[in-house]
Amino acid sequence: MVSEPVLRVRGVCKSYRSRPVLRGVSLDLHAGQLVGIVGENGAGKSTLLRILAGDLNADSGVVQKVGLLGCCPQETVLHPAFTVEQHLRFFQAAFGLGCLTPAFELLEQLNFTSHRNERVETLSGGTRQKLNLVLALMHDPQVLLLDEPYQGFDWETYLRFWDLAAALRERGCAVLVVSHLAYDASRLDTLYRLDGGVLREAERTGTVGVGS
């Protein structure tokens, strides 16, 4: 029996100043599923992600979510003057978490424990993105939305990211990866292309991106 989706999207439309960006997007995301969406810049990927995260209202359509949501936006939600650990403490309070052990384990998985006491302004773009990812995951969400999550990662971190994504899928988290290019698309359960405001399923072999 197929389980009910933890994220259900039906007929989502969005326009800016009468310019259609999303034209009736529908999508089901199930627990333990790793799904990708690719599309060229300006295709509406970030708009769709903001609607799924609840940061932006659709003009029409329905978005239904089950359980906790984690979102890692393309632009990091970080303050340059605070350290990595201070960010963890702030989000611990915001999420009402009893301890930071899971967050520290994520730091270890992504290999940046040594930056724990460094201010964000001193970190590289890739390391900031690691922190952004940890903040999205530290409350153990059932649904994880990732916008260009491996932007700025070196090769080792890129591989660690996919190991982490596979582990999340294994324990039942539904993961949606949104990017202009899907390297190693075969790692995904399903891959969609957003083109002309319409979402269609694409092949998962090799590398998939604009013009593929």
Side-chain angles (χ1 to χ4, degrees):
M1 180 181 295
V2 179
S3 62
E4 289 295 312
V6 291
L7 178 65
R8 183 176 182 270
V9 183
R10 289 293 180 273
V12 166
C13 296
K14 183 67 178 180
S15 297
Y16 293 109
R17 295 182 179 179
S18 76
R19 181 178 69 86
V21 177
L22 301 175
R23 303 171 184 260
V25 170
S26 295
L27 171 72
D28 282 341
L29 190 60
H30 295 266
Q33 196 174 24
L34 180 54
V35 173
I37 295 178
V38 295
E40 64 182 18
N41 291 332
K45 304 186 302 299
S46 293
T47 294
L48 175 59
L49 204 72
R50 290 183 62 199
I51 290 172
L52 300 185
D55 292 335
L56 181 68
N57 291 325
D59 295 336
S60 60
V62 175
V63 176
Q64 298 173 320
K65 297 183 286 287
V66 176
L68 294 175
L69 177 75
C71 184
C72 183
Q74 185 175 0
E75 296 297 326
T76 58
V77 288
L78 309 174
H79 193 292
F82 296 142
T83 67
V84 169
E85 183 163 343
Q86 284 174 325
H87 279 86
L88 299 182
R89 298 290 179 191
F90 293 145
F91 276 72
Q92 177 188 17
F95 290 135
L97 303 179
C99 71
L100 284 176
T101 300
F104 292 146
E105 290 174 352
L106 287 167
L107 296 187
E108 184 68 30
Q109 281 182 272
L110 292 171
N111 194 31
F112 77 117
T113 301
S114 61
H115 299 287
R116 186 165 148 179
N117 295 314
E118 294 180 18
R119 293 193 307 274
V120 163
E121 63 187 359
T122 68
L123 303 178
S124 68
T127 304
R128 294 183 190 193
Q129 189 64 10
K130 291 180 189 181
L131 177 55
N132 210 35
L133 181 56
V134 170
L135 296 177
L137 275 170
M138 59 186 287
H139 63 302
D140 194 23
Q142 281 75 54
V143 180
L144 179 63
L145 308 177
L146 305 172
D147 191 0
E148 303 285 359
Y150 31 73
Q151 182 174 271
F153 283 176
D154 57 30
W155 181 245
E156 180 185 355
T157 304
Y158 174 78
L159 294 177
R160 285 174 180 262
F161 164 79
W162 283 114
D163 288 343
L164 176 59
L168 291 169
R169 174 173 58 182
E170 189 67 25
R171 69 176 189 237
C173 182
V175 183
L176 179 63
V177 179
V178 177
S179 179
H180 72 286
L181 192 66
Y183 295 106
D184 293 337
S186 58
R187 295 177 184 266
L188 302 168
D189 296 313
T190 309
L191 178 65
Y192 295 93
R193 182 191 301 281
L194 185 59
D195 185 26
V198 178
L199 194 67
R200 298 185 178 89
E201 190 168 345
E203 294 184 5
R204 294 187 295 111
T205 55
T207 300
V208 179
V210 178
S212 298

